[in-house]
Amino acid sequence: MSVRVRRIYDPPEPDDGVRVLVDRLWPRGVAKDEAHVDEWPKGLTPSTELRQWYHAGEGSYEEFAQRYEAELAAPEAAKLLDHVRELARKGDVTLVTASKSPERGHASVLLRLLDGR
């Protein structure tokens, strides 16, 4: 059982397990039937305000991660995070994102929380 992050633009692989889209908006240029997304919990994604703040370059990745973790503590998001955690207990999970730099975005925060790092 593992959790990993991949870009949605990369072709699906047999060992992806459950593919969970962790972006609030559907990625441009990706057909839904070709994405092989099993779940899309929009309530697990950063708020529009936080996403826009971070992409505007107004704060550091560390501050973004702290603010995002605070959002994930809200009841709805916490419930969705627990659901993905349960999926990971049962098998492999791949968090898919359109982000050009997943290691400096919300997917890496989710990965750390799901892996217990």
Side-chain angles (χ1 to χ4, degrees):
M1 294 179 280
S2 69
V3 180
R4 66 180 180 163
V5 175
R6 297 190 63 227
R7 293 197 69 224
I8 196 156
Y9 300 107
D10 298 331
E13 294 182 0
D15 61 344
D16 279 351
V18 178
R19 290 172 54 92
V20 180
L21 178 61
V22 294
D23 292 345
R24 185 167 297 269
L25 305 173
W26 188 264
R28 290 179 187 220
V30 178
K32 290 186 179 182
D33 60 334
E34 293 176 7
H36 300 279
V37 169
D38 299 302
E39 302 210 9
W40 187 14
K42 294 179 190 176
L44 191 61
T45 63
S47 66
T48 300
E49 296 78 19
L50 180 58
R51 186 172 43 83
Q52 289 174 345
W53 171 84
Y54 183 53
H55 290 298
E58 296 179 20
S60 67
Y61 170 74
E62 291 73 21
E63 185 177 357
F64 165 77
Q66 288 176 342
R67 289 182 180 197
Y68 182 39
E69 285 185 43
E71 288 186 355
L72 290 171
E76 179 190 353
K79 183 177 177 181
L80 291 169
L81 187 59
D82 285 342
H83 172 69
V84 176
R85 219 178 253 123
E86 185 59 31
L87 292 173
R89 284 189 195 106
K90 295 177 182 177
D92 295 329
V93 172
T94 299
L95 307 176
V96 291
T97 180
S99 175
K100 292 179 185 176
S101 302
E103 65 281 351
R104 299 292 293 171
H106 67 287
S108 67
V109 175
L110 288 171
L111 179 64
R112 181 172 43 79
L113 292 174
L114 292 167
D115 271 356
R117 297 179 193 175

